[in-house]
Amino acid sequence: MELKMLTSSDRMWNKVSDYAKSCSWGAGISLANAMDDNLFTEWERVIVALDDQKICGYCTVAKTDCIPDVCYTPYIGYMFVDEEYRGNRLSQKLIQYSMDYLKEIGFDKVYIVSDHENLYEKYGFEVVDRKTAPWGEVEKIYMQKLM
């Protein structure tokens, strides 16, 4: 398993965008649109998990997430693991890789927005806020300090 950090100039960028468009998670289309519109700037990245060049998951590190008008940054977002690869701690590997990168570039904490129960807590995240998302559901904002 290889984890790779992508920018829009990477040759895998379009392949990951196409994968996100067709994956089983509806939010993948939103990620693909952000990639196609080149909305990732400065230090923001798409991180992809590969199994011999086969995409098996992805996430992003970005300044913002789906909750507007909050002071939290940076975020790990768009966390997705292909059904075939679930149960192998790939989410944990993507999170750790993302946190290592964010710490390396100077951040001391990271946030995740989710409505999942007991998923991010097992990776050391704590709920620090709850906000209503643009689609009307209350989402939790998780935080973890980067050590």
Side-chain angles (χ1 to χ4, degrees):
M1 185 74 53
E2 174 189 8
L3 299 179
K4 186 170 182 176
M5 197 163 306
L6 304 179
T7 63
S8 61
S9 63
D10 193 286
R11 60 185 174 84
M12 286 208 62
W13 188 261
N14 291 333
K15 183 177 178 181
V16 173
S17 175
D18 290 344
Y19 175 84
K21 278 179 195 151
S22 64
C23 79
S24 62
W25 183 39
I29 293 170
S30 175
L31 171 60
N33 290 338
M35 293 175 75
D36 293 348
D37 293 341
N38 202 22
L39 298 181
F40 291 84
T41 62
E42 298 175 39
W43 52 264
E44 296 176 302
R45 302 286 185 268
V46 174
I47 298 166
V48 63
L50 301 166
D51 182 11
D52 194 29
Q53 297 303 308
K54 180 179 179 185
I55 298 170
C56 41
Y58 56 76
C59 71
T60 63
V61 289
K63 295 174 193 169
T64 62
D65 203 310
C66 59
I67 307 293
D69 303 320
V70 293
C71 61
Y72 309 115
T73 197
Y75 289 91
I76 297 172
Y78 289 108
M79 178 66 64
F80 177 78
V81 175
D82 190 278
E83 289 80 0
E84 181 182 342
Y85 292 90
R86 292 181 185 169
N88 297 305
R89 298 199 174 269
L90 188 50
S91 292
Q92 182 178 15
K93 292 173 186 168
L94 286 162
I95 289 168
Q96 189 59 56
Y97 189 84
S98 300
M99 291 191 326
D100 290 346
Y101 168 68
L102 291 168
K103 182 178 179 186
E104 181 181 307
I105 63 171
F107 289 102
D108 63 354
K109 53 184 88 149
V110 63
Y111 300 89
I112 294 177
V113 175
S114 180
D115 62 354
H116 288 290
E117 295 291 333
N118 301 315
L119 174 60
Y120 296 109
E121 292 90 341
K122 69 184 176 185
Y123 301 132
F125 284 82
E126 298 176 7
V127 175
V128 293
D129 208 344
R130 290 177 182 2
K131 296 284 185 184
T132 302
W135 52 90
E137 293 183 25
V138 175
E139 300 280 333
K140 295 185 286 286
I141 300 175
Y142 291 90
M143 185 272 295
Q144 184 173 146
K145 292 182 180 176
L146 300 174
M147 307 272 182

